[in-house]
PDB file of all heavy atoms in Angstrom:
ATOM      1  N   ASN A 335      13.451   5.226   6.901  1.00 93.00           N
ATOM      2  CA  ASN A 335      13.999   5.960   7.964  1.00 93.00           C
ATOM      3  C   ASN A 335      13.262   7.309   8.245  1.00 93.00           C
ATOM      4  O   ASN A 335      13.044   7.685   9.358  1.00 93.00           O
ATOM      5  CB  ASN A 335      15.475   6.192   7.752  1.00 93.00           C
ATOM      6  CG  ASN A 335      16.329   4.950   7.932  1.00 93.00           C
ATOM      7  OD1 ASN A 335      15.882   4.057   8.455  1.00 93.00           O
ATOM      8  ND2 ASN A 335      17.531   4.947   7.380  1.00 93.00           N
ATOM      9  N   ALA A 336      12.800   7.836   7.179  1.00 95.00           N
ATOM     10  CA  ALA A 336      12.104   9.111   7.276  1.00 95.00           C
ATOM     11  C   ALA A 336      10.707   8.889   7.940  1.00 95.00           C
ATOM     12  O   ALA A 336      10.243   9.665   8.798  1.00 95.00           O
ATOM     13  CB  ALA A 336      11.883   9.762   5.946  1.00 95.00           C
ATOM     14  N   TYR A 337      10.024   7.750   7.625  1.00 95.00           N
ATOM     15  CA  TYR A 337       8.790   7.386   8.251  1.00 95.00           C
ATOM     16  C   TYR A 337       8.974   7.130   9.751  1.00 95.00           C
ATOM     17  O   TYR A 337       8.232   7.570  10.639  1.00 95.00           O
ATOM     18  CB  TYR A 337       8.171   6.202   7.561  1.00 95.00           C
ATOM     19  CG  TYR A 337       7.428   6.563   6.369  1.00 95.00           C
ATOM     20  CD1 TYR A 337       7.984   6.678   5.060  1.00 95.00           C
ATOM     21  CD2 TYR A 337       5.986   6.796   6.409  1.00 95.00           C
ATOM     22  CE1 TYR A 337       7.140   7.037   3.977  1.00 95.00           C
ATOM     23  CE2 TYR A 337       5.162   7.056   5.252  1.00 95.00           C
ATOM     24  CZ  TYR A 337       5.820   7.223   4.059  1.00 95.00           C
ATOM     25  OH  TYR A 337       5.067   7.502   2.997  1.00 95.00           O
ATOM     26  N   LYS A 338      10.133   6.332  10.017  1.00 95.00           N
ATOM     27  CA  LYS A 338      10.300   5.979  11.367  1.00 95.00           C
ATOM     28  C   LYS A 338      10.699   7.189  12.212  1.00 95.00           C
ATOM     29  O   LYS A 338      10.268   7.340  13.375  1.00 95.00           O
ATOM     30  CB  LYS A 338      11.515   5.036  11.462  1.00 95.00           C
ATOM     31  CG  LYS A 338      11.201   3.696  10.900  1.00 95.00           C
ATOM     32  CD  LYS A 338      12.397   2.728  10.896  1.00 95.00           C
ATOM     33  CE  LYS A 338      12.174   1.358  10.232  1.00 95.00           C
ATOM     34  NZ  LYS A 338      13.357   0.479  10.144  1.00 95.00           N
ATOM     35  N   LYS A 339      11.433   8.169  11.561  1.00 97.00           N
ATOM     36  CA  LYS A 339      11.868   9.355  12.391  1.00 97.00           C
ATOM     37  C   LYS A 339      10.539  10.241  12.688  1.00 97.00           C
ATOM     38  O   LYS A 339      10.385  10.710  13.753  1.00 97.00           O
ATOM     39  CB  LYS A 339      12.704  10.233  11.475  1.00 97.00           C
ATOM     40  CG  LYS A 339      13.222  11.462  12.052  1.00 97.00           C
ATOM     41  CD  LYS A 339      14.254  12.193  11.123  1.00 97.00           C
ATOM     42  CE  LYS A 339      14.865  13.468  11.758  1.00 97.00           C
ATOM     43  NZ  LYS A 339      13.888  14.545  11.749  1.00 97.00           N
ATOM     44  N   ALA A 340       9.641  10.375  11.671  1.00 97.00           N
ATOM     45  CA  ALA A 340       8.431  11.089  11.869  1.00 97.00           C
ATOM     46  C   ALA A 340       7.520  10.430  12.920  1.00 97.00           C
ATOM     47  O   ALA A 340       7.014  11.091  13.847  1.00 97.00           O
ATOM     48  CB  ALA A 340       7.563  11.226  10.628  1.00 97.00           C
ATOM     49  N   TYR A 341       7.414   9.142  12.923  1.00 97.00           N
ATOM     50  CA  TYR A 341       6.655   8.391  13.938  1.00 97.00           C
ATOM     51  C   TYR A 341       7.107   8.654  15.233  1.00 97.00           C
ATOM     52  O   TYR A 341       6.406   8.754  16.288  1.00 97.00           O
ATOM     53  CB  TYR A 341       6.681   7.015  13.550  1.00 97.00           C
ATOM     54  CG  TYR A 341       5.842   5.968  14.396  1.00 97.00           C
ATOM     55  CD1 TYR A 341       4.368   5.999  14.308  1.00 97.00           C
ATOM     56  CD2 TYR A 341       6.435   5.201  15.406  1.00 97.00           C
ATOM     57  CE1 TYR A 341       3.684   5.225  15.221  1.00 97.00           C
ATOM     58  CE2 TYR A 341       5.608   4.502  16.282  1.00 97.00           C
ATOM     59  CZ  TYR A 341       4.257   4.492  16.130  1.00 97.00           C
ATOM     60  OH  TYR A 341       3.525   3.697  16.960  1.00 97.00           O
ATOM     61  N   ALA A 342       8.537   8.667  15.456  1.00 97.00           N
ATOM     62  CA  ALA A 342       9.085   8.878  16.767  1.00 97.00           C
ATOM     63  C   ALA A 342       9.012  10.274  17.260  1.00 97.00           C
ATOM     64  O   ALA A 342       8.781  10.506  18.520  1.00 97.00           O
ATOM     65  CB  ALA A 342      10.594   8.452  16.679  1.00 97.00           C
ATOM     66  N   GLU A 343       9.155  11.198  16.375  1.00 98.00           N
ATOM     67  CA  GLU A 343       9.281  12.665  16.743  1.00 98.00           C
ATOM     68  C   GLU A 343       7.943  13.351  16.908  1.00 98.00           C
ATOM     69  O   GLU A 343       7.812  14.390  17.688  1.00 98.00           O
ATOM     70  CB  GLU A 343      10.205  13.370  15.847  1.00 98.00           C
ATOM     71  CG  GLU A 343      11.656  12.900  15.808  1.00 98.00           C
ATOM     72  CD  GLU A 343      12.518  13.823  14.918  1.00 98.00           C
ATOM     73  OE1 GLU A 343      11.974  14.604  14.165  1.00 98.00           O
ATOM     74  OE2 GLU A 343      13.690  13.595  14.892  1.00 98.00           O
ATOM     75  N   LEU A 344       6.937  12.990  16.196  1.00 97.00           N
ATOM     76  CA  LEU A 344       5.686  13.721  16.134  1.00 97.00           C
ATOM     77  C   LEU A 344       4.999  13.851  17.567  1.00 97.00           C
ATOM     78  O   LEU A 344       4.664  14.956  17.900  1.00 97.00           O
ATOM     79  CB  LEU A 344       4.670  12.992  15.238  1.00 97.00           C
ATOM     80  CG  LEU A 344       4.331  13.623  13.929  1.00 97.00           C
ATOM     81  CD1 LEU A 344       3.199  12.857  13.230  1.00 97.00           C
ATOM     82  CD2 LEU A 344       4.043  15.076  13.994  1.00 97.00           C
ATOM     83  N   PRO A 345       5.066  12.844  18.351  1.00 97.00           N
ATOM     84  CA  PRO A 345       4.389  13.047  19.744  1.00 97.00           C
ATOM     85  C   PRO A 345       5.018  14.019  20.595  1.00 97.00           C
ATOM     86  O   PRO A 345       4.436  14.565  21.531  1.00 97.00           O
ATOM     87  CB  PRO A 345       4.473  11.655  20.349  1.00 97.00           C
ATOM     88  CG  PRO A 345       4.626  10.693  19.156  1.00 97.00           C
ATOM     89  CD  PRO A 345       5.386  11.484  18.180  1.00 97.00           C
TER      90      PRO A 345
END
Side-chain angles (χ1 to χ4, degrees):
N335 287 340
Y337 275 87
K338 293 175 181 178
K339 181 174 183 288
Y341 182 74
E343 292 182 352
L344 256 185

